[in-house]
Amino acid sequence: MLSFAEENYLKTIYHLSEETEGAVTTNAIADSLNTKAASVTDMIKKLSNKGVLSYQKYRGVHVSESGKKAALQVIRKHRLWETCLVDKLKFNWDEVHEVAEQLEHINSTLLIKRLDEFLAYPKYDPHGDPIPDENGEYKSKPQVALNHVKADTTGIIVSVKDTSNAFLKYLDKIGIYLGAKIKILEKVEFDGSLEIQIDSKKTVFISKEVSENIWISE
């Protein structure tokens, strides 16, 4: 059994391990959680003792098989709760992350099984991220970031990688949402910004940073 804090650390380390090759460094974990490296080291030792991480001093950490299973169950609960909040309780997609952060620690297998059934077994959350099933299995949609797409390409927005309130509110403001049809009209060589058309109607300019966080299926 992991505590709330231990689950949060494990989930963060798992996400970092998916984004990098090799071991996850203490500094990377500290930066992601906005905490001190010494605190991270203490938690890593606790998680290593529980068998969910493998740790060698100065060589970073790896998530064990049991750690992956535990992390995916936390992620499953988080994304199911986000889906419930948006689809059933009519939260906006920029309002659900912090609430789901609290709900993901409820330790009831039956509750999550019933929640999944109640939601008709969704495959993706409101931000387009895949929802692991009860065995930790999931299938990602084929997708590519807008900044890697050539001009005159058309696609459908299937996920956003930055799920902060500020970013999602910005997307709402300019009319971008999951399922929107996007056409790349121009890529500006100077700064990597894009001119895009949304649903064959509205035309907007977005920065390179924004385009890196919007993913489409061509």
Side-chain angles (χ1 to χ4, degrees):
M1 184 72 69
L2 301 177
S3 69
F4 286 15
E6 289 169 341
E7 285 187 340
N8 283 333
Y9 264 85
L10 180 60
K11 182 178 69 171
T12 296
I13 296 168
Y14 174 79
H15 282 311
L16 290 171
S17 72
E18 292 289 285
E19 298 169 0
T20 185
E21 294 183 5
V24 179
T25 67
T26 300
N27 286 337
I29 300 167
D31 289 343
S32 183
L33 291 170
N34 194 27
T35 190
K36 296 179 180 178
S39 299
V40 172
T41 300
D42 290 342
M43 181 59 78
I44 285 173
K45 290 177 180 178
K46 292 180 182 179
L47 293 172
S48 181
N49 289 336
K50 292 192 175 185
V52 295
L53 297 179
S54 60
Y55 167 65
Q56 287 185 304
K57 196 172 183 179
Y58 306 123
R59 294 187 179 181
V61 299
H62 293 274
V63 182
S64 69
E65 285 304 313
S66 63
K68 290 178 182 178
K69 291 178 181 178
L72 284 166
Q73 288 307 307
V74 177
I75 292 167
R76 166 176 164 79
K77 289 186 284 184
H78 183 99
R79 293 176 180 174
L80 282 173
W81 282 119
E82 285 194 332
T83 303
C84 180
L85 291 167
V86 170
D87 290 357
K88 303 300 181 180
L89 300 181
K90 306 307 176 186
F91 279 67
N92 293 327
W93 67 342
D94 62 292
E95 298 174 324
V96 296
H97 182 72
E98 290 184 1
V99 181
E101 283 282 311
Q102 300 171 54
L103 293 169
E104 71 183 25
H105 300 294
I106 297 174
N107 188 29
S108 171
T109 302
L110 180 59
L111 173 62
I112 299 307
K113 188 173 183 177
R114 294 283 174 82
L115 178 63
D116 196 13
E117 181 181 6
F118 174 65
L119 296 171
Y121 307 103
K123 301 300 182 185
Y124 303 95
D125 73 7
H127 309 113
D129 292 317
I131 300 174
D133 64 20
E134 57 187 350
N135 297 314
E137 301 290 334
Y138 63 89
K139 186 175 182 179
S140 297
K141 298 176 182 177
Q143 54 188 275
V144 61
L146 276 183
N147 66 307
H148 291 151
V149 176
K150 296 179 180 179
D152 206 36
T153 298
T154 299
I156 303 297
I157 296 178
V158 293
S159 69
V160 292
K161 300 309 176 185
D162 184 343
T163 58
S164 65
N165 289 1
F167 184 69
L168 295 176
K169 285 179 179 178
Y170 169 75
L171 295 187
D172 282 338
K173 183 177 180 180
I174 64 175
I176 286 180
Y177 60 95
L178 293 190
K181 181 181 178 182
I182 298 293
K183 182 175 182 179
I184 313 300
L185 300 178
E186 181 184 0
K187 298 188 75 170
V188 180
E189 185 177 352
F190 172 69
D191 60 1
S193 61
L194 302 179
E195 181 184 14
I196 63 173
Q197 186 179 63
I198 306 169
D199 291 332
S200 302
K201 299 175 183 177
K202 185 177 181 180
T203 299
V204 297
F205 280 91
I206 58 173
S207 69
K208 181 181 178 182
E209 182 179 359
V210 169
S211 69
E212 290 171 345
N213 284 286
I214 300 173
W215 290 58
I216 64 169
S217 175
E218 296 183 57

